[in-house]
């Protein structure tokens, strides 16, 4: 479906749901109990070098090696959010298209840069699955998430590759792909897809949202254009140390194990949600979060807050409405407590 409707609050993010309150956080998609001790120690050790300007060469080389790419195809950024701003400002974009519902920052960055953004809205009736034919042929920039936040849908790599055109920049936000076992359907590391730009974040799996570190994988020309738009020394020394550490063989093995655990914990959450007649879940969730539909979700969310749980409202995502909530996957004990609270919240909100 192709449309250009009213703009919701694109600047609302999950951290606003938990700020200044002591709530169990199901609103932010950062893995709980992170960063691990070994990563904290690596970051802390980097503080002795703060007198020198940041040198990103080692971290850039580590990211390149991890994906089997030359360093000229890698750009380190202050989180994936900076990458969206760079793409919006540095590329000669005429007709940008954002596939929704998804993370709202790409559209916000494009609008801030003066672009008129066109939307392709995926439908709940289709399971929020992407039909490449829905993307206008004249779009010269297309942005899509995989797995998509907030739907948790993992689009096949082959379907995404169908969006590629010689004249088009295809931006695939893979911020959550390292939470998918085996990183199935990843495009990171691919050099055979024309115009492909892949964004990765280290903030989700490793709990580094406060450090701001991510990276772009693209052809050398695009990387150079984005780099020219960056300020000098855009990534701090501690963030560079974290990036290099997270590319090690041991770190990748730990991330793979975390992804397997997330999949098990997600199935436990989905099984519990299936017990509620009032709750509909988006099928085929593959990310570290699930999207659910409840009539009267606003009231349920407020009741959950009184019971100590924060859920992410869905109405700020284009293509969703007030009946949607996004829930981060947590460990089984936390999930069991949440399911009890949800049962109470549904009663309090008049849902049962």
């Amino acid at each position: 479906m192709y449309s250009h409707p009213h703009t919701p609050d694109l600047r609302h993010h999950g951290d606003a749901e938990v700020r200044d309150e002591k709530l169990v956080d199901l609103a932010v998609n950062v893995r709980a109990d992170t960063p691990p001790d070994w990563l904290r120690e690596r970051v802390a050790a980097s503080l002795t070098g703060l007198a020198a300007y940041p040198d990103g060469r080692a971290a850039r080389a580590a990211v390149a090696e991890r994906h089997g790419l030359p360093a000229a195809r890698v750009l380190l950024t202050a989180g994936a959010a900076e990458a969206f701003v760079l793409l919006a400002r540095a590329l000669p974009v005429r007709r940008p298209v954002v596939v929704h519902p998804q993370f709202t920052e790409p559209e916000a960055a494009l609008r801030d840069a003066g672009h008129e953004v066109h939307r392709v809205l995926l439908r709940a009736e289709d399971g929020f699955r992407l039909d490449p034919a829905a993307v206008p042929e004249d779009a010269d920039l297309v942005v899509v998430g995989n797995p998509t936040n907030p739907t948790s849908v993992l689009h096949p790599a082959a379907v995404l590759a169908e969006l590629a055109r010689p004249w088009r920049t295809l931006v695939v936000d893979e911020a959550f792909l390292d939470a998918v076992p085996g990183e199935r359907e990843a495009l990171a590391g691919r050099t055979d897809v024309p115009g492909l730009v892949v964004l990765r974040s280290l903030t989700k799996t490793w709990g580094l949202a406060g450090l701001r570190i991510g990276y772009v994988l693209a052809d050398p020309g695009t990387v150079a254009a984005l780099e020219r738009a960056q300020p000098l020394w855009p990534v701090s020394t501690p963030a560079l140390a974290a990036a290099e550490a997270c590319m090690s063989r041991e770190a990748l093995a730990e991330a793979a194990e975390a992804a397997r655990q997330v999949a098990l914990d997600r199935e436990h959450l989905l099984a519990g949600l299936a017990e509620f007649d009032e709750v509909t879940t988006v099928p085929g969730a593959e990310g570290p979060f699930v999207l659910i539909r409840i009539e009267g979700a606003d009231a349920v969310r407020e009741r959950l807050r009184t019971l100590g749980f924060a859920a992410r409202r869905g109405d700020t995502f284009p293509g969703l409405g007030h009946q949607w909530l996004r829930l981060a996957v947590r460990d089984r004990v936390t999930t069991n407590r949440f399911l009890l609270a949800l049962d109470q919240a549904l009663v309090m909100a008049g849902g049962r």
Side-chain angles (χ1 to χ4, degrees):
M1 179 179 177
Y2 175 49
S3 65
H4 186 30
H6 173 72
T7 301
D9 181 5
L10 301 179
R11 294 297 190 188
H12 181 89
H13 298 298
D15 60 317
E17 309 284 353
V18 293
R19 194 176 294 144
D20 302 326
E21 294 193 50
K22 293 182 179 179
L23 300 171
V24 177
D25 181 9
L26 304 183
V28 178
N29 290 326
V30 174
R31 184 162 63 101
D33 301 321
T34 52
D37 288 343
W38 62 265
L39 185 52
R40 294 176 193 267
E41 291 166 5
R42 284 289 295 271
V43 171
S46 74
L47 300 181
T48 60
L50 292 186
Y53 285 97
D55 183 347
R57 288 175 296 177
R60 192 173 191 173
V63 171
E65 181 179 0
R66 180 254 198 273
H67 291 288
L69 297 170
R73 281 183 166 269
V74 175
L75 181 68
L76 301 172
T77 60
E82 188 206 5
F84 292 126
V85 172
L86 296 175
L87 288 163
R89 295 180 178 178
L91 301 185
V93 178
R94 298 182 311 279
R95 188 164 172 78
V97 169
V98 179
V99 179
H100 283 292
Q102 76 147 324
F103 183 49
T104 54
E105 204 58 38
E107 179 171 328
L110 286 161
R111 289 184 180 278
D112 287 347
H115 297 290
E116 180 182 357
V117 179
H118 300 265
R119 295 175 181 165
V120 170
L121 298 181
L122 306 185
R123 304 190 312 158
E125 298 90 327
D126 302 324
F128 296 107
R129 302 287 164 175
L130 173 65
D131 176 4
V135 175
E137 188 62 23
D138 62 348
D140 60 353
L141 175 74
V142 177
V143 186
V144 61
N146 205 37
T148 302
N149 169 23
T151 65
S152 207
V153 169
L154 183 67
H155 302 291
V159 170
L160 295 178
E162 286 184 43
L163 294 174
R165 302 287 187 275
W167 64 86
R168 174 183 291 168
T169 299
L170 172 60
V171 180
V172 181
D173 177 7
E174 293 188 349
F176 294 100
L177 236 170
D178 60 352
V180 175
E183 297 199 0
R184 291 181 294 107
E185 312 303 342
L187 288 171
R190 293 274 296 270
T191 59
D192 61 325
V193 180
L196 176 65
V197 175
V198 173
L199 308 185
R200 286 286 180 112
S201 169
L202 298 178
T203 65
K204 317 300 184 185
T205 288
W206 297 111
L208 297 174
L211 199 57
R212 311 309 307 139
I213 179 65
Y215 54 88
V216 177
L217 305 175
D219 67 87
T222 299
V223 166
L226 299 180
E227 191 168 19
R228 285 193 296 271
Q230 280 185 311
L232 291 174
W233 309 291
V235 181
S236 70
T237 294
L240 293 170
E244 186 177 0
C246 290
M247 297 301 116
S248 71
R249 185 175 303 171
E250 296 80 7
L252 294 176
E254 183 174 325
E257 177 56 35
R260 286 190 288 271
Q261 187 60 53
V262 163
L264 294 173
D265 291 339
R266 184 182 60 243
E267 292 310 306
H268 181 68
L269 172 60
L270 290 171
L273 292 171
E275 297 296 317
F276 295 93
D277 293 337
E278 303 91 336
V279 176
T280 302
T281 60
V282 173
E286 296 280 0
F289 47 89
V290 300
L291 183 64
I292 65 172
R293 180 172 182 160
I294 308 175
E295 293 303 321
D298 279 344
V300 172
R301 183 170 61 88
E302 288 305 316
R303 298 296 186 273
L304 284 170
R305 294 182 71 84
T306 67
L307 297 168
F309 289 85
R312 172 65 160 90
R313 57 191 278 201
D315 62 291
T316 64
F317 293 100
L320 300 183
H322 289 277
Q323 69 271 42
W324 296 93
L325 296 175
R326 190 193 68 195
L327 305 172
V329 173
R330 298 296 185 228
D331 63 89
R332 290 190 172 213
V333 172
T334 302
T335 292
N336 289 342
R337 289 172 52 213
F338 165 73
L339 292 170
L340 289 172
L342 177 60
D343 185 59
Q344 289 181 259
L346 288 168
V347 172
M348 294 165 68
R352 349 187 80 187

